[in-house]
Amino acid sequence: MQKPEIVFSNFLRTKGLKLTSPRKIILEAVFTTHEHFNVDAMYDLIRQTHSNVSRATIYRTMPLLVEAGLIKQSVRCQSKDYYEHTYGHSNHLHLICKVCGEIIEADCKEVEKAIEKIALKYNFKSTEFDLSARGICSACSEQE
Amino acid sequence: MQKPEIVFSNFLRTKGLKLTSPRKIILEAVFTTHEHFNVDAMYDLIRQTHSNVSRATIYRTMPLLVEAGLIKQSVRCQSKDYYEHTYGHSNHLHLICKVCGEIIEADCKEVEKAIEKIALKYNFKSTEFDLSARGICSACSEQE
DNA sequence: GTCAATGCAAAGACTTTGCAATCTA
DNA sequence: TAGATTGCAAAGTCTTTGCATTGAC
């Protein structure tokens, strides 16, 4: 499997776009993050080591990463758009807390199996999954 | 099954809240809409017959309808939050064909069970599910 | 050197909130 | 009548955009 940098740089070249320093920095930050992330978190992370990447550039880069197949738009939570890796990552089940907004990413092999079973009935070949459950996390339900 | 109006009015009463005229109008509009909807669409729809319901009130009523279990937050699309009915609609697994766009709505009891099993590990109490799988439907895979 | 990309700040879009007036129970 | 609710407008939050400058190829 190719490195994300290679995928991105190829993508940019075929579109006649340029692999700039901010784009490299953003890509690196995105792929050192293991959770789903939003623009603000990216901005803070990048700021820890680089002082010269603006929010605007991050906002402008996200759609490119999506189009390149490296990330995808994930849930929206508390008015913020979240992203997550798709490149090199297996599917996750998102457990979203309605109270505090926490998002737990859980392994979903068993859920996928259950879906495959259903898909079989319809002769449907599934490739990607979007799975989320909303509810209340343990911390929040203890506080009630 | 009780009418949404009854459910809402009971919900409000148990919370010590009041069933006001704007809330009745909003509820009615929400349940005459069959598609997913957003606040703006609701506002326009209501304006066709009532001139005295503000956007602010719609924004304030949506969370109540969610809490009452009548609607749920759905996808976010083009920076707008969408809602959809849940009352009277059981959860579905959506099998979405990437080729022809067909959406198969399948029963997902088994998938929910699998999710509950995972949620249990995290002490997460799930209440709503958003489940979709993208792939290729039988008709489209035959044509390849 | 050319043209895309950046940073900044301003603008935009959607949503939330403070407050005085109003209405439900 | 008490206290919740409303409409309005102002404020907030996230995201997008115009423009002069900078930088990649």
Side-chain angles (χ1 to χ4, degrees):
Chain A
M1 172 175 266
Q2 290 180 317
K3 286 187 180 176
E5 300 89 70
I6 306 293
V7 174
F8 193 40
S9 117
N10 287 344
F11 167 78
L12 291 173
R13 189 163 38 248
T14 62
K15 298 280 266 184
L17 305 177
K18 293 167 183 174
L19 181 58
T20 62
S21 161
R23 285 180 181 162
K24 281 183 207 165
I25 293 168
I26 293 166
L27 180 69
E28 188 195 332
V30 162
F31 273 85
T32 52
T33 301
H34 296 302
E35 315 262 318
H36 47 87
F37 55 89
N38 59 32
V39 168
D40 230 48
M42 265 311 106
Y43 182 74
D44 289 344
L45 178 63
I46 288 169
R47 278 286 159 139
Q48 288 173 18
T49 47
H50 305 79
S51 54
N52 53 340
V53 175
S54 73
R55 275 196 175 76
T57 299
I58 301 176
Y59 274 112
R60 282 187 276 229
T61 302
M62 289 305 167
L64 295 174
L65 294 174
V66 171
E67 203 185 339
L70 293 167
I71 65 175
K72 72 169 179 177
Q73 253 196 302
S74 178
V75 295
R76 168 173 167 82
C77 195
Q78 296 186 324
S79 296
K80 287 184 276 265
D81 286 328
Y82 278 76
Y83 295 87
E84 62 183 289
H85 305 178
T86 46
Y87 191 69
H89 281 256
S90 60
N91 290 305
H92 283 106
L93 163 66
H94 292 151
L95 302 174
I96 305 168
C97 180
K98 290 195 284 190
V99 179
C100 68
E102 195 200 358
I103 303 173
I104 300 165
E105 293 201 338
D107 181 86
C108 62
K109 293 250 162 36
E110 292 185 35
V111 178
E112 285 180 22
K113 272 185 209 163
I115 290 176
E116 289 303 348
K117 212 165 148 186
I118 294 167
L120 201 62
K121 283 189 205 165
Y122 295 91
N123 254 323
F124 185 91
K125 293 177 193 162
S126 44
T127 53
E128 303 145 39
F129 303 89
D130 264 323
L131 307 172
S132 56
R134 300 175 67 81
I136 301 175
C137 74
S138 59
C140 288
S141 58
E142 272 169 23
Q143 281 178 12
E144 273 179 2
Chain B
M1 172 174 267
Q2 291 180 318
K3 285 188 180 175
E5 300 88 70
I6 306 294
V7 175
F8 194 40
S9 114
N10 286 346
F11 166 79
L12 291 172
R13 189 162 38 248
T14 62
K15 297 281 265 187
L17 305 178
K18 292 167 182 174
L19 182 58
T20 62
S21 161
R23 285 181 181 161
K24 282 183 206 164
I25 293 168
I26 293 167
L27 180 69
E28 187 195 330
V30 161
F31 274 85
T32 54
T33 301
H34 296 301
E35 313 264 317
H36 293 203
F37 56 89
N38 59 32
V39 167
D40 231 49
M42 265 311 107
Y43 182 73
D44 289 344
L45 178 63
I46 287 169
R47 279 285 159 142
Q48 288 174 19
T49 49
H50 306 78
S51 53
N52 53 341
V53 176
S54 73
R55 275 196 174 75
T57 299
I58 301 177
Y59 275 112
R60 283 187 277 229
T61 303
M62 290 305 167
L64 295 175
L65 293 174
V66 171
E67 202 184 340
L70 293 167
I71 65 174
K72 72 170 180 176
Q73 252 194 304
S74 178
V75 294
R76 169 171 167 82
C77 194
Q78 297 184 322
S79 295
K80 287 183 276 265
D81 287 328
Y82 278 75
Y83 295 86
E84 62 183 290
H85 305 177
T86 47
Y87 190 69
H89 294 252
S90 60
N91 286 309
H92 282 107
L93 163 66
H94 291 212
L95 301 173
I96 305 168
C97 180
K98 290 196 284 191
V99 179
C100 67
E102 195 198 359
I103 301 176
I104 301 166
E105 294 202 338
D107 181 86
C108 60
K109 293 252 160 34
E110 292 185 35
V111 178
E112 285 180 21
K113 273 185 207 162
I115 289 175
E116 289 303 347
K117 215 166 146 185
I118 294 167
L120 202 62
K121 283 189 206 166
Y122 295 91
N123 255 322
F124 185 93
K125 294 177 193 161
S126 47
T127 53
E128 304 144 38
F129 303 90
D130 264 323
L131 307 172
S132 57
R134 299 175 65 80
I136 301 175
C137 74
S138 60
C140 288
S141 59
E142 273 169 23
Q143 283 176 11
E144 274 179 4

